[in-house]
Amino acid sequence: MRAARAARALQSKEDYNQAITFYTQAIDLDPTVAAYYGNRSFAYLRTECFGYALADANKALEIDPKYIKAYYRRASSYMALGKFKLALKDFETVTKVHPSDKDAKAKYTECNKIVKRIAFEKAIAVDDHKSVLDSIDIETMAIDDDYDGPKLEDGVVTLQFVKDLLKTFKEQKKLHRKYAYQILLRVREIFMKQPSLVDITIPDGKKFTVCGDIHGQYYDLLNIFELNGIPSESNPYLFNGDFVDRGSFSVECILVLFSFKVLYPDHFYMARGNHESATMNQMYGFEGEVKSKYPLTITFTAQMADLFTEVFNWLPLAHCINNKILVMHGGLFRDDNVTLDDIRKVDRHRQPPEEGVMCELLWSDPQPQCGRSQSKRGVGTQFGPDVTKRFLQKNKLDYIIRSHEVKNDGYEVSHDGKCITVFSAPNYW
């Protein structure tokens, strides 16, 4: 069928949104072909529409219970949604039918490890606030004689250090482990003192920049600073979540951003995105990248990835600019009665829950039609212009800024100008 062929061609070019359009056309013409749903499920997975991906995988299996790719797609959807036991069951089905499939076997092994680790952590959990840092003696960490990268003097981040760091990472060199840990320690202390909703005051006529998703695209981050100026007290920034995953330089991006936060704590802001979570970092590459760039050694057995997770748990969930603009990564809520005070009261020091205010701040998306609908992502909600209008009126706000969705122009204005989406990772996918 022509639509299906076009969809496959687009998918091979990683144009997943257009592929979804053509697979939908193919399904409309013949809704009995399991492969159409299975292939569209894959495209939905790539665009992080995990709810839609799961629904398509289920539909494919309803049509053809022996369609193994659908089990794989469903398992991947469950993994992304943190439903690891259900994912494990489907991966097991795939490996039994195709025991020589190395990728399926690797996914099964990975998922099995996660299930066992969660059970183990639950069994030994005593103090949720115990830090990885408690088992690390940073001061005694030795600096190799041949290390010629940026150095912190007495653990202090300076502008010169950050400039040297930008150059070092541009040349694809590493920051020494000791300095990385010192940055993480300092930025954790800063975030711990901040509320879940941070209020920002910008004087009239002064510049303030909001950036969306970066997703480990370091050279695009450098381009932002080249075009818009390096962060400073007179050139403040807010980076609105999803700093890591997918891109190959997530470690570099996050260490630069954290360094700027330490350098300018009152003029550089960072909000948590849905990718600042353990599950997403396991699925989309950040955890593996950290372990690759800062591997365990005989003398150093603590996981840096675990410390990143700790820091992410302390990231603020939203920012309010001049009491008029609310900025969050995802979007609005299932409940019309949510107020700014409700956001302030959120206990954010944890992994994102599957529902509630914190979940919706990280995962929700706007939709063009009025009302609310089930989230394409499987968590959060989709909200219409009427929902936005009521929220703004109730909280005496002018508009919201959010990120979370790819926009070809880097931004999109919707909901009668009251909802602005900013996405800062070009050539995404």
Side-chain angles (χ1 to χ4, degrees), residues 189-200:
E189 292 173 350
I190 292 171
F191 287 136
M192 286 175 68
K193 295 176 182 177
Q194 292 189 306
S196 293
L197 173 59
V198 176
D199 290 291
I200 302 172

Side-chain angles (χ1 to χ4, degrees), residues 205-255:
K206 295 297 183 179
K207 175 182 175 182
F208 187 83
T209 302
V210 178
C211 295
D213 305 42
I214 296 298
H215 278 300
Q217 297 185 193
Y218 181 67
Y219 294 94
D220 293 313
L221 176 62
L222 290 182
N223 192 48
I224 290 173
F225 294 152
E226 179 72 23
L227 294 173
N228 198 59
I230 196 169
S232 68
E233 292 182 354
S234 60
N235 189 28
Y237 278 82
L238 164 56
F239 279 84
N240 198 30
D242 281 14
F243 321 113
V244 301
D245 283 336
R246 292 195 179 275
S248 301
F249 303 99
S250 291
V251 168
E252 289 78 1
C253 285
I254 195 63
L255 287 177

